[in-house]
Amino acid sequence: MTDLAQLEADLSAQIAAAADAAALDAVRVAALGKSGSVSELLKTLGALSPDERRERGPLVNGLRDRIGAALATRKTALEAAELDARLAAERVDLSLPAPPERRGRVHPTMQTMDEMIAIFAEMGFSLAEGPDIEDDFHNFTALNFPPKHPAREMHDTFWLPEDENGERKVLRTHTSPVQVRVMQTLNRQLPAWIANGQKPPIRIMVPGRTYRSDSDATHTPMFHQMEGLVIGEDIHMGHLKWTMETFVSRFFETPGVEVRFRPHHFPFTEPSAEMDVRCDRSGGEIRVGQGDDWLEVVGAGMVHPNVLRNCGLDPDKWQGFAFGFGIDRLGALKYGMPDLRDMFAGDRRWIEHYGFSAFQAPNAATALS
Ligand code: PHE
């Protein structure tokens, strides 16, 4: 065997025997490195005569190329084997529990709103909505607030700056403007309904945000109301009272909730009333159905004839009742939160304590049970 053939056989054996990347690299350096065995052979070519070089040159260069190729092939094979070994060793155990994660909570206001919607939906009310930024007509004028009357300030209204038409919009002070929007729509649709032999009645609920410049333990500048409106041909105060009492007993899921109606004044209802729920606020916590305190939860009344007229309905033919609940207050009463301001303070400890799991979302069945 020639010296070259011997060297190639040795190197090939070493390449085949290299068990990992480091061993293989040592072989590479020993053969092709600066003073490696093959590199040394290449250096000797310069000293040969042209004839000798023509014969030996291709042999040595060929040896270098084959060793280089063998090293590359072995390297690829070693890397593949290493990856296979890792894949085999680092198996994922899908039966392990997932790492613990913080879960979001449902805000009590949203929970309360969903509970209310479930109960009123059972009673045949459907959902309606309106804009948070209202015009003076829908928030006040159509609801029978006289022009320039101090009643417009009664609500501690947030007025927006005058727009390019000289109009001042408001952040709606209540959800009652949606009554107007719904009655106007009814009025537009009435001829078609009557032609079809259909009769209204309207039964809508309007959950939404409302705004007043007011802040203490039972008032926040942004809060939520649930408006209700029923319009028909023979609706009376008894329907209103039954609806309120039935709702409250279902909402609090206890027969012992005591309510009282007080005469009140709203420009858009006549007669008007407020309903309070008996509660105890003495111990830093709020408890419903006991104690000597009353918390007002709803304003209500029979829709004022002027409001019906403003919406294009004939008050001699149509009557109805309306109500507006404070959603946050009802939630505070049911779930024992003493200060409404905490509800919107954005404190995570509060929401973790009072918030609900997403799996507790109510439906009509649980709300009525
Ligand atoms: N809009 C009234 C308020 O915010 C509540 C209300 C609604 C009263 C409907 C009567 C009828 O105080």
Side-chain angles (χ1 to χ4, degrees):
M1 200 187 260
T2 65
D3 57 343
L4 287 188
Q6 182 63 54
L7 178 59
E8 184 163 358
D10 288 350
L11 287 175
S12 300
Q14 288 171 32
I15 289 169
D20 56 30
L24 187 66
D25 205 50
V27 179
R28 182 189 64 78
V29 171
L32 304 179
K34 234 184 182 173
S35 42
S37 49
V38 177
S39 308
E40 291 299 330
L41 281 176
L42 284 165
K43 283 182 210 160
T44 63
L45 292 179
L48 298 179
S49 72
D51 278 350
E52 284 171 326
R53 195 182 309 138
R54 204 171 299 123
E55 193 197 327
R56 191 150 168 93
L59 295 177
V60 178
N61 278 313
L63 170 63
R64 183 207 47 206
D65 292 347
R66 284 192 300 282
I67 294 300
L71 283 165
T73 307
R74 180 72 184 143
K75 187 170 182 213
T76 310
L78 281 176
E79 282 170 356
E82 201 182 322
L83 184 61
D84 284 347
R86 262 185 65 189
L87 286 176
E90 297 178 6
R91 204 163 295 190
V92 176
D93 183 350
L94 293 176
S95 68
L96 286 175
E101 230 177 74
R102 273 182 187 283
R103 286 194 195 89
R105 311 288 284 169
V106 176
H107 194 282
T109 294
M110 295 302 135
Q111 178 80 11
T112 306
M113 194 186 281
D114 286 347
E115 290 173 9
M116 297 177 77
I117 290 171
I119 296 169
F120 282 120
E122 265 285 314
M123 293 186 186
F125 286 73
S126 51
L127 279 166
E129 277 182 325
D132 284 22
I133 298 178
E134 263 298 2
D135 52 36
D136 184 88
F137 175 78
H138 288 92
N139 198 80
F140 292 124
T141 306
L143 289 168
N144 201 34
F145 285 80
K148 308 258 184 264
H149 193 274
R152 285 169 195 252
E153 299 309 320
M154 175 177 101
H155 281 179
D156 302 306
T157 310
F158 285 117
W159 292 92
L160 272 65
E162 253 182 36
D163 63 15
E164 59 278 12
N165 307 319
E167 196 190 343
R168 291 191 77 183
K169 294 255 170 78
V170 297
L171 293 182
R172 66 177 177 193
T173 56
H174 48 180
T175 41
S176 300
V178 185
Q179 286 187 34
V180 177
R181 294 181 177 276
V182 168
M183 282 190 274
Q184 285 175 326
T185 307
L186 168 73
N187 186 30
R188 276 197 299 278
Q189 292 169 342
L190 258 184
W193 286 21
I194 289 169
N196 265 335
Q198 290 173 313
K199 281 189 183 171
I202 296 183
R203 265 184 249 144
I204 51 135
M205 54 179 154
V206 186
R209 291 198 184 103
T210 47
Y211 307 85
R212 291 181 203 175
S213 178
D214 206 352
S215 180
D216 60 36
T218 54
H219 297 86
T220 52
M222 187 282 300
F223 58 107
H224 299 78
Q225 285 192 336
M226 172 75 80
E227 192 85 7
L229 175 69
V230 173
I231 298 282
E233 284 177 318
D234 45 19
I235 303 293
H236 54 74
M237 196 87 180
H239 294 126
L240 167 63
K241 196 157 177 275
W242 179 86
T243 306
M244 295 296 91
E245 285 172 349
T246 305
F247 168 78
V248 164
S249 72
R250 288 188 177 177
F251 178 77
F252 288 105
E253 298 166 28
T254 120
V257 181
E258 206 182 323
V259 297
R260 70 175 185 193
F261 286 82
R262 282 178 288 106
H264 196 71
H265 170 76
F266 298 106
F268 38 94
T269 45
E270 179 60 35
S272 305
E274 279 187 335
M275 187 181 81
D276 304 332
V277 173
R278 184 189 282 283
C279 64
D280 176 20
R281 265 190 272 177
S282 58
E285 228 186 51
I286 192 160
R287 278 177 228 282
V288 70
Q290 49 184 281
D292 301 321
D293 253 342
W294 294 90
L295 190 67
E296 175 229 321
V297 293
V298 65
M302 300 304 293
V303 179
H304 196 292
N306 286 349
V307 175
L308 293 168
R309 242 178 250 120
N310 290 341
C311 300
L313 297 176
D314 176 0
D316 290 329
K317 193 160 164 46
W318 304 104
Q319 303 91 44
F321 67 79
F323 56 83
F325 276 96
I327 298 180
D328 317 287
R329 284 185 175 196
L330 265 192
L333 260 181
K334 181 165 176 177
Y335 297 113
M337 292 165 285
D339 193 323
L340 278 195
R341 287 167 298 195
D342 296 337
M343 298 184 88
F344 308 114
D347 186 330
R348 279 186 44 178
R349 291 164 304 179
W350 186 89
I351 190 77
E352 265 157 33
H353 180 77
Y354 285 108
F356 292 82
S357 152
F359 296 113
Q360 282 169 276
N363 53 42
T366 54
L368 294 180
S369 63

